[in-house]
Amino acid sequence: MKPAGVVRKVDQLGRIVLPKSLRKRYQMNEGDPVEILVQGDHIILERYRPKCVFCGSMDGVTEYKDRYICASCLSEMTQLPRHA
Ligand SMILES: [Zn+2]
């Protein structure tokens, strides 16, 4: 991890403005979900990428009924035997 060369103050509501240059560089647009991660004394921001509810994969994930499932798990599910 290296400093981005930016110091910002937290406002009354706990908000911090991310500099436009960083938003552009990391392709963060208005309304994009951002995940907050913590590691020791560090707070890390990451563009949110949905994970499969079954295996945790982030590849080929699609949304179904407010949950996310990857193509691999979806394929496995469609091959499950059906019970009457
Ligand atoms: Zn999966």
Side-chain angles (χ1 to χ4, degrees), residues 7 72 83:
V7 176
S72 174
H83 302 282

Side-chain angles (χ1 to χ4, degrees), residues 2 6 10 17 22-23 26 38 42 49 56 64-65 68 76 79 82:
K2 63 177 187 174
V6 179
V10 178
V17 174
L22 285 180
R23 284 181 274 142
Y26 292 97
V38 291
H42 302 277
R49 292 179 59 202
Y64 179 67
K65 295 188 177 179
Y68 297 97
E76 285 177 30
Q79 291 166 27
R82 291 169 188 262

Side-chain angles (χ1 to χ4, degrees), residues 7 19 32-33 38 43 47 52 58 70 72 77-79 81-82:
V7 176
D32 284 352
V38 291
I43 299 170
R47 278 187 297 144
C52 173
M58 294 182 190
C70 74
S72 174
M77 284 178 78
T78 59
Q79 291 166 27
R82 291 169 188 262

Side-chain angles (χ1 to χ4, degrees), residues 51-59 61 68-74 76:
K51 298 176 182 110
C52 173
V53 293
F54 298 106
C55 72
S57 171
M58 294 182 190
D59 298 325
V61 173
Y68 297 97
I69 182 168
C70 74
S72 174
C73 288
L74 184 61
E76 285 177 30

Side-chain angles (χ1 to χ4, degrees), residues 8-72:
R8 291 284 159 102
K9 289 186 178 175
V10 178
D11 78 6
Q12 269 183 312
L13 298 175
R15 296 176 296 195
I16 302 165
V17 174
L18 294 174
K20 191 174 182 177
S21 59
L22 285 180
R23 284 181 274 142
K24 191 173 177 183
R25 181 172 164 188
Y26 292 97
Q27 298 167 359
M28 289 177 166
N29 299 306
E30 186 179 340
D32 284 352
V34 174
E35 188 165 23
I36 300 169
L37 310 168
V38 291
Q39 187 177 59
D41 292 340
H42 302 277
I43 299 170
I44 301 162
L45 303 177
E46 264 187 16
R47 278 187 297 144
Y48 177 69
R49 292 179 59 202
K51 298 176 182 110
C52 173
V53 293
F54 298 106
C55 72
S57 171
M58 294 182 190
D59 298 325
V61 173
T62 53
E63 190 177 354
Y64 179 67
K65 295 188 177 179
D66 293 330
R67 304 287 167 103
Y68 297 97
I69 182 168
C70 74
S72 174

